[in-house]
């Protein structure tokens, strides 16, 4: 009889792991997983959490300056949603063995990244609309596929996040729509904001697939379901039609419908700017990180008080 194939134990568990993913079975915290899978998820989930928390800053800047009480209340609710999203995601990262303190320390030290889009300033009220329509719109395309990501806690957290982000996108578009129907000054404000946020929004999908070091493995593990370039093309196709409703234009002279591909052709991103911002040299990089560090330091007494209270409760129970 021919010898049976000898399979190394490590190779066997890796095969079982990949078979589960291929069969669309979620990976749960107590399941065996490769170290690289764990690290990739920690990196991606913590980066997502940091983006939600840092993303509160450019919008929080406008809560007290919104043009009406209604607008203030809506924007305040949105920022609160983003805080909740960050908490869901930090909790999901903790199920992989990291701690909240470690992930936040990594943000403060510069080891961990957040979305480069939040390193741009928000000088006008129209930016609250552009962020909602473009930034949250780009985020939704990324995040809807994450509802089906292979790591269970991350996938489940994304279900609620996507519902709320979808509302944020509609709210942002409505701000721009109102401005686009207003005075000449308001229309100009609307167009100027779209001009500033368009290209940074395209950068949110990351580098070209050929320059992305993690995409291929993440696709195999079904952490990601679509490539950076595929998602970016979907976003351009969507916005090129929606901007017509606003009566505005996208700041790309190369944008045009391609009847053969059934997609919009568009110009090349300024990748030098993209990498410069990612490396910490964007217009507001230092300001954003400094604000997060300040909030962490000033909140230390709250964490200490909560820990002391929890310890006291535990003593009483014992």
């Amino acid at each position: 009889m021919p010898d049976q194939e000898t399979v190394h134990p490590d190779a066997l568990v890796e095969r079982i792991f990949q078979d589960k993913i291929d069969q669309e079975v979620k990976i749960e915290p107590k399941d065996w997983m490769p170290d690289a899978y764990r690290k990739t998820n920690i990196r991606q989930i913590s980066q997502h959490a940091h983006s939600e928390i840092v993303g509160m800053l450019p919008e929080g800047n406008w809560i007290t300056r919104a043009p009406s009480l209604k607008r203030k209340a809506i924007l305040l609710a949105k920022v609160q949603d983003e805080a909740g999203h960050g908490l869901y995601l930090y909790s999901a990262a903790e199920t992989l063995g990291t701690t909240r303190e470690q992930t936040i320390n990594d943000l403060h030290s510069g080891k961990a990244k957040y979305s480069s889009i939040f390193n741009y300033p928000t000088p006008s009220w129209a930016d609250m609309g552009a962020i909602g329509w473009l930034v949250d719109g780009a985020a939704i395309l990324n995040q809807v596929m994450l509802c089906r990501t292979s790591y269970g806690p991350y996938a489940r957290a994304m279900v609620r996040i996507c519902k709320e982000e979808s509302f944020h996108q509609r709210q942002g578009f409505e701000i721009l729509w109102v401005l686009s129907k207003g005075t000449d000054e308001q229309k100009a404000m609307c167009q100027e904001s779209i001009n500033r946020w368009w290209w940074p929004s395209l950068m949110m999908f990351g580098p070209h697939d050929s320059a992305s070091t993690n995409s291929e493995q993440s696709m195999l593990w079904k952490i990601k379901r679509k490539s950076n370039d595929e998602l970016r093309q979907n976003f351009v196709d969507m916005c090129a039609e929606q901007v017509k409703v606003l009566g505005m234009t996208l700041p790309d002279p190369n944008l045009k419908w391609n009847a053969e591909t059934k997609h919009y052709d568009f110009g090349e991103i300024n990748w030098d700017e993209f990498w410069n911002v990612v490396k910490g040299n964007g217009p507001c990089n230092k300001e954003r990180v400094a604000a997060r560090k300040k909030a962490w330091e000033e909140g230390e007494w709250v964490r200490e008080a909560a820990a002391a209270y929890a310890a006291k409760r535990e003593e009483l129970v014992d």
Side-chain angles (χ1 to χ4, degrees), residues 7 21 46 51 56 60 71 93 109 146 151 170 186 223 232 249 293 297:
V7 180
I21 288 177
S46 63
S51 298
M56 298 165 62
R71 294 295 186 189
S109 69
L146 291 174
Y151 187 57
R170 292 195 295 272
Q186 289 171 324
I223 295 173
R232 187 164 23 241
T249 59
K293 286 182 179 178
E297 291 165 1

Side-chain angles (χ1 to χ4, degrees), residues 266-285:
F266 58 99
E268 187 63 21
I269 289 169
N270 183 342
W271 293 111
D272 289 339
E273 178 184 338
F274 170 79
W275 290 114
N276 194 45
V277 176
V278 168
K279 291 175 182 177
N281 301 314
C284 299
N285 278 74

Side-chain angles (χ1 to χ4, degrees), residues 188-259:
M189 183 194 303
C190 179
Q191 182 64 65
E192 190 273 336
S193 185
I194 292 171
N195 291 348
R196 280 188 292 106
W197 287 96
W198 174 245
W199 291 107
S201 296
L202 290 188
M203 295 176 195
M204 286 180 67
F205 297 97
H208 281 310
D209 298 333
S210 58
S212 180
T213 57
N214 301 300
S215 283
E216 186 175 351
Q217 184 62 70
S218 292
M219 296 281 281
L220 179 64
W221 281 333
K222 297 188 179 180
I223 295 173
K224 290 178 65 173
R225 297 281 180 157
K226 291 185 177 182
S227 71
N228 295 352
D229 288 333
E230 186 178 2
L231 288 168
R232 187 164 23 241
Q233 182 65 65
N234 291 344
F235 179 69
V236 171
D237 292 345
M238 177 182 73
C239 293
E241 292 298 320
Q242 291 177 345
V243 76
K244 296 175 184 178
V245 178
L246 297 174
M248 299 288 151
T249 59
L250 297 176
D252 182 357
N254 296 315
L255 184 71
K256 62 179 180 179
W257 177 251
N258 187 321

Side-chain angles (χ1 to χ4, degrees), residues 25-309:
V25 177
K26 295 295 184 212
I27 305 302
E28 299 298 341
K30 293 184 179 181
D31 292 345
W32 182 91
M33 64 187 75
D35 287 342
Y37 178 87
R38 185 185 303 276
K39 290 177 181 177
T40 298
N41 270 291
I42 289 174
R43 177 186 57 80
Q44 181 168 327
I45 297 171
S46 63
Q47 179 175 313
H48 191 169
H50 299 328
S51 298
E52 295 284 355
I53 298 301
V54 175
M56 298 165 62
L57 296 172
E59 294 176 313
N61 178 48
W62 275 94
I63 290 174
T64 59
R65 298 186 291 154
S68 69
L69 181 59
K70 175 185 174 182
R71 294 295 186 189
K72 286 179 171 64
I74 292 172
L75 187 56
L76 179 60
K78 181 184 180 184
V79 172
Q80 287 176 321
D81 283 349
E82 289 163 349
H85 297 171
L87 292 177
Y88 302 153
L89 294 165
Y90 282 133
S91 296
E94 286 175 316
T95 66
L96 288 158
T98 189
T99 64
R100 184 80 54 92
E101 185 173 15
Q102 182 60 56
T103 55
I104 292 174
N105 285 342
D106 287 345
L107 170 66
H108 294 168
S109 69
K111 179 181 178 181
K113 303 298 183 184
Y114 55 89
S115 180
S116 60
I117 194 76
F118 299 118
N119 290 312
Y120 290 87
T122 52
S124 88
W125 167 249
D127 291 343
M128 298 303 97
I131 288 176
W133 176 44
L134 296 174
V135 176
D136 292 335
I140 289 167
L141 285 179
N142 265 314
Q143 293 171 8
V144 165
M145 72 171 184
L146 291 174
C147 294
R148 296 171 53 234
T149 192
S150 59
Y151 187 57
Y154 193 19
R156 290 188 286 273
M158 291 311 305
V159 173
R160 177 168 179 173
I161 290 174
C162 283
K163 289 179 180 178
E164 293 176 349
E165 291 289 5
S166 180
F167 184 79
H168 297 168
Q169 183 197 25
R170 292 195 295 272
Q171 174 235 340
F173 189 83
E174 190 266 346
I175 289 175
L176 294 182
W177 185 83
V178 170
L179 291 173
S180 74
K181 306 302 177 187
T183 63
D184 288 344
E185 184 180 6
Q186 289 171 324
K187 291 176 182 178
M189 183 194 303
C190 179
Q191 182 64 65
E192 190 273 336
S193 185
I194 292 171
N195 291 348
R196 280 188 292 106
W197 287 96
W198 174 245
W199 291 107
S201 296
L202 290 188
M203 295 176 195
M204 286 180 67
F205 297 97
H208 281 310
D209 298 333
S210 58
S212 180
T213 57
N214 301 300
S215 283
E216 186 175 351
Q217 184 62 70
S218 292
M219 296 281 281
L220 179 64
W221 281 333
K222 297 188 179 180
I223 295 173
K224 290 178 65 173
R225 297 281 180 157
K226 291 185 177 182
S227 71
N228 295 352
D229 288 333
E230 186 178 2
L231 288 168
R232 187 164 23 241
Q233 182 65 65
N234 291 344
F235 179 69
V236 171
D237 292 345
M238 177 182 73
C239 293
E241 292 298 320
Q242 291 177 345
V243 76
K244 296 175 184 178
V245 178
L246 297 174
M248 299 288 151
T249 59
L250 297 176
D252 182 357
N254 296 315
L255 184 71
K256 62 179 180 179
W257 177 251
N258 187 321
E260 292 185 8
T261 64
K262 305 299 182 185
H263 292 289
Y264 276 90
D265 294 334
F266 58 99
E268 187 63 21
I269 289 169
N270 183 342
W271 293 111
D272 289 339
E273 178 184 338
F274 170 79
W275 290 114
N276 194 45
V277 176
V278 168
K279 291 175 182 177
N281 301 314
C284 299
N285 278 74
K286 293 179 176 61
E287 177 185 334
R288 301 294 187 232
V289 174
R292 293 316 313 157
K293 286 182 179 178
K294 182 173 183 287
W296 179 256
E297 291 165 1
E298 292 182 350
E300 184 175 2
W301 71 271
V302 179
R303 296 191 297 277
E304 290 177 350
Y309 179 73

